[in-house]
Amino acid sequence: MSLAARHLEANGIATIVCGSARDIVEQAGVPRFLFTDFPLGNPMGKPYDVAMQRAITALAIDLLESVTCPRTTVQAPFTWGDDAWRAEYMRVDESNLEGLRRAGERRRARQARARHEGRVRSS
Amino acid sequence: MSQQEPTPTDAAYRVFVSYIDKSRIFYQAQGYERPYRWAYNADSPFTPPAKPLGETRLGLVTTALSLDVADDVDVATLPVESAYAAPLDPPPQRLYTMNRSWDKKATHTNDLDSFFPIHRLQELVAAGRLGSISPRFYGIPNEYSQRTTREVDAPQILEYLRHDGVDVALLVPL
């Protein structure tokens, strides 16, 4: 997504990226980035919280106008509340190592099957 | 929780989540030997909007899929992905997101506007803050190959936006 923003911007279309994976977007280098420090999935505001969504969307649009130099990150002024998700997401510890190893084997088998059956992109 | 384990907001550690670190460790534990090399650019292009926002047409770009399938569909039956454009009139009732790496324990994507803010954008048009929204929205795959994103998908999105007279774009990855 960040690479698409860069391509559009280089071709005359001003862009704003709204996301929650701060390091990935900042490392890719985008013109304007609105960072919402939430679990991945709701960068435009919590589900059904219309007031929050309204504030984040309006801020994103404002940034199209107000940002004056590239690689500008602004953090949305909201917190998720509970912070347990930070450690839980993609958690790896001794209790799940064996399960992850087996999940990896299943995933590679699925990927091999998809390649074999031509269910992959040709480009 | 062991003594070595930081609490989620222990300020002796970085508080915001590094997904580059998390995914490297996670896929290594799954037996992938070569870590993913994320896109890294030291610079960025920059184009100020050409017109006041009140006269501007906005395009909304998502990584969700315009597919009306059940959440528990076998992903092996999904069509091979490519960049797409789909009508916004009327807006989609739902988008398919289950094949994306959002945090399925902590949250959900049942409210479209939490990641595809079409109704919030329509409010900004009604208020005169934005000129209009493109009649179509746009989807881009989460592609492993950065070359494919740069050389195939991003140019395709640009072509769609130009065809639809879009001036500015809001891109929301899940």
Side-chain angles (χ1 to χ4, degrees), chain A residues 1-32 35 37-50 53-54 57-58 60-65 67-71 80 83-93 96-97 100-105 107-108 110-111 118-123, chain B residues 1 5 8-9 15-23 25-27 29-32 38-49 52-53 58 61-63 75-76 78 80-83 101-103 105-111 113-117 120-121 123-124 129-130 140-143 146-150 152-155 157-158 161-162 166-174:
Chain A
M1 191 60 115
S2 299
L3 297 179
R6 291 171 57 88
H7 186 76
L8 298 179
E9 193 88 14
N11 285 280
I13 293 178
T15 62
I16 171 81
V17 175
C18 296
S20 295
R22 177 171 156 182
D23 57 338
I24 293 173
V25 176
E26 288 188 335
Q27 188 154 310
V30 299
R32 305 166 197 80
F35 169 55
D37 193 11
F38 283 0
L40 297 183
N42 312 124
M44 303 311 296
K46 285 189 170 186
Y48 309 116
D49 188 334
V50 172
Q53 294 169 358
R54 201 168 273 152
T57 306
I61 299 310
D62 289 349
L63 293 178
L64 283 167
E65 213 164 44
V67 169
T68 56
C69 64
R71 308 199 69 126
W80 188 253
D83 276 311
W85 57 273
R86 296 178 191 276
E88 278 305 310
Y89 183 80
M90 283 191 165
R91 187 182 191 94
V92 177
D93 61 26
N96 68 358
L97 269 180
L100 286 173
R101 193 190 58 73
R102 283 198 300 268
E105 282 173 4
R107 189 163 181 265
R108 277 186 291 281
R110 272 201 310 277
Q111 288 169 331
R119 287 184 285 104
V120 291
R121 299 187 78 181
S122 53
S123 52
Chain B
M1 189 172 279
E5 193 71 34
T9 53
V15 170
F16 78 85
V17 173
S18 170
Y19 291 97
I20 292 175
D21 290 352
K22 284 236 182 210
S23 60
I25 293 163
F26 184 83
Y27 287 110
Q30 284 206 344
Y32 290 87
W38 296 88
Y40 168 56
N41 291 287
D43 62 352
S44 166
F46 191 75
T47 304
L53 290 176
L58 179 137
V61 188
T62 182
T63 53
V75 291
L78 296 176
V80 174
E81 283 194 56
S82 59
S101 298
W102 53 273
D103 190 337
K105 281 184 192 162
T107 190
H108 63 81
T109 56
N110 298 337
D111 178 14
D113 279 278
S114 70
F115 66 95
F116 185 85
R120 305 292 85 82
L121 288 167
E123 291 167 1
L124 290 172
R129 178 65 177 136
L130 273 175
I140 186 162
N142 264 1
E143 173 58 50
Q146 291 161 29
R147 189 179 62 83
T148 301
T149 301
R150 279 196 313 269
V152 180
D153 294 336
I157 297 290
L158 176 65
L161 296 185
R162 283 186 169 157
V166 167
D167 306 299
V168 300
L170 169 59
L171 301 95
V172 190
L174 273 160

Side-chain angles (χ1 to χ4, degrees), chain B residues 66 87-88 90-95 112 116 118-119 137:
Chain B
S66 178
L88 257 183
Q93 295 287 311
R94 62 188 300 272
L95 294 168
L112 212 59
F116 185 85
I118 181 57
H119 301 102
F137 69 99

